[in-house]
Amino acid sequence: MTKLDVRIANNRLVTGQFGDVRFSNWGVECSDRHSFVTLTDIARNAHQTDGIWHLSGGRLKIDLETRLIEPDGLSIQARFTALDDIALQDAVVRLVFDRQGIDHGVIADKKFRHTNSDKYRLHSVDHAQLISTSGKHVLVTLKTADGAERFAPYLYLRDRDDHWIIHARLLPLEPVDHVWLRWANRFFTLSAPDCLARLLWHFGPTRHFLWRLRERVGRNWPEFQAIPLNKIRQGQSLSLEVTCHFR
């Protein structure tokens, strides 16, 4: 019988293995317009002091709990509490799996092979799967989500470099408070005037086309897209609970 073997430190999964399925560096992420918070990469324009994250737009307290449930499952719970009024792009629970050993992924009843497309296959669903080369199943389920009536839950499946990435993600609901229309590259980021971004957002076809365009199209598209943001008030929280079962 295959055994789930994991190492959890500071309430975050560090490494794990189930048969030919290997995974590591799970955590949380969130962004405002100028800051990016992450536990597994390099934060941008954000720093942590005494458990409080300082972003360009305000402060957040982020609580994360990762624990074993039953012999073959993990639970990941995250809460993002605003200590100031702050406008956010998203709030995320992030799960990362090694490409090696995974045959394909499934989301919204569609099967995908790993082609390093870097597409965010984003859907308003509550589960996604990875199937290993030996037939092992990894089922990621979004159990609960609280978007403070300003954010809606999604899952995405992404094939990037040597990994499969699954995000449980809270994204702004309409009507949105801000729209950031940007073109970014490794040298600079250009932003359209807010009045132009808002004007384009008001037209349904344009909004549908521009909404997270680079994420949807993948690595062959420049970093050009519209990103909506919604404000959460001081004392409000966003929360996600995700389970991951191995069979």
Side-chain angles (χ1 to χ4, degrees):
M1 181 177 180
T2 305
K3 180 183 176 182
L4 175 63
D5 182 22
V6 300
R7 181 164 71 90
I8 297 170
N10 297 320
N11 272 311
R12 185 173 71 85
L13 183 134
V14 180
T15 60
Q17 183 171 352
F18 182 79
D20 51 350
V21 179
R22 293 177 173 83
F23 46 99
S24 61
N25 292 327
W26 292 7
V28 294
E29 295 178 351
C30 66
S31 302
D32 65 10
R33 181 159 176 165
H34 301 292
S35 303
F36 171 59
V37 170
T38 177
L39 301 182
T40 59
D41 203 342
I42 300 173
R44 296 192 300 270
N45 299 321
H47 67 276
Q48 187 179 25
T49 305
D50 297 328
I52 306 300
W53 280 95
H54 298 255
L55 290 75
S56 63
R59 297 171 300 152
L60 284 175
K61 183 176 185 293
I62 302 177
D63 298 298
L64 174 66
E65 181 185 21
T66 304
R67 57 187 176 88
L68 282 165
I69 51 171
E70 305 172 0
D72 62 356
L74 292 157
S75 169
I76 309 96
Q77 295 176 283
R79 181 174 295 274
F80 306 77
T81 302
L83 303 183
D84 306 293
D85 292 356
I86 185 170
L88 294 177
Q89 296 183 38
D90 60 4
V92 170
V93 168
R94 173 181 173 85
L95 288 70
V96 181
F97 301 82
D98 288 359
R99 174 183 180 178
Q100 185 178 7
I102 302 295
D103 182 72
H104 64 274
V106 179
I107 192 167
D109 298 322
K110 297 179 181 178
K111 183 169 74 172
F112 300 96
R113 302 285 183 181
H114 196 298
T115 61
N116 195 21
S117 72
D118 202 27
K119 290 181 180 180
Y120 296 49
R121 297 179 177 90
L122 182 70
H123 296 275
S124 181
V125 297
D126 64 1
H127 67 278
Q129 291 188 75
L130 296 172
I131 313 300
S132 81
T133 53
S134 68
K136 299 288 189 292
H137 286 241
V138 181
L139 176 63
V140 175
T141 305
L142 177 58
K143 300 292 288 185
T144 62
D146 183 353
E149 300 182 348
R150 303 306 319 281
F151 291 77
Y154 294 82
L155 285 181
Y156 83 51
L157 177 69
R158 181 181 175 194
D159 55 329
R160 177 187 173 97
D161 299 332
D162 293 326
H163 299 99
W164 286 95
I165 303 169
I166 296 176
H167 276 192
R169 200 177 193 191
L170 289 169
L171 297 177
L173 280 167
E174 293 285 353
V176 299
D177 294 327
H178 305 284
V179 180
W180 182 22
L181 180 58
R182 74 184 189 203
W183 174 42
N185 58 43
R186 63 177 186 164
F187 302 109
F188 55 80
T189 297
L190 294 178
S191 300
D194 288 348
C195 58
L196 175 60
R198 175 63 71 174
L199 179 64
L200 292 173
W201 191 260
H202 277 312
F203 292 95
T206 307
R207 179 173 65 246
H208 177 76
F209 175 72
L210 292 174
W211 181 72
R212 300 189 174 275
L213 178 60
R214 158 52 179 93
E215 296 181 1
R216 292 185 287 112
V217 175
R219 68 170 63 254
N220 294 323
W221 187 265
E223 285 277 354
F224 177 72
Q225 57 186 347
I227 303 293
L229 298 94
N230 272 349
K231 184 178 289 186
I232 56 172
R233 302 294 181 182
Q234 181 182 13
Q236 287 186 310
S237 295
L238 306 177
S239 63
L240 295 158
E241 179 185 0
V242 177
T243 60
C244 183
H245 283 92
F246 300 83
R247 297 283 192 269

